[in-house]
Amino acid sequence: MDTGDRLLTPGEVAALFRVDPKTVTRWAAAGRIGSIRTPGGHRRFRESEVRALLEGDGVIEEMREDDAANKPRNNGPSNPGAGYGPPNGLR
């Protein structure tokens, strides 16, 4: 069942969102972005879903209040382009 969709590593996704790869992994663990697991247990992300999130077309399931402790410290892919990068706008 090959859809032809390229699979991205957490590092590739992180580069697109300008966050740390560990942040992408936390988003996946929290259900904010879909992922699949390789036979070796590594996460991979469908390029089409990542692109949709970057363009604002993706549907992100809202987290419940009791999940707040697991919520990423930044806005995550629900608000791409805003709030990313070093604090205070430093580059």
Side-chain angles (χ1 to χ4, degrees), residues 27-45:
W27 290 342
R32 297 188 69 165
I33 185 171
S35 68
I36 62 170
R37 295 282 188 142
T38 67
H42 300 280
R43 289 189 191 271
R44 295 294 182 264
F45 303 88

Side-chain angles (χ1 to χ4, degrees), residues 6 8 11-19 24 27 32-33 45-60 76-82 84:
R6 184 168 169 248
L8 304 176
E12 291 170 321
V13 175
L16 292 170
F17 282 103
R18 296 186 210 158
V19 297
V24 175
W27 290 342
R32 297 188 69 165
I33 185 171
F45 303 88
R46 295 189 190 284
E47 184 176 29
S48 60
E49 181 180 351
V50 172
R51 296 282 178 201
L53 291 171
L54 281 168
E55 295 168 7
D57 296 334
V59 177
I60 304 285
S78 63
N79 192 6
Y84 293 101

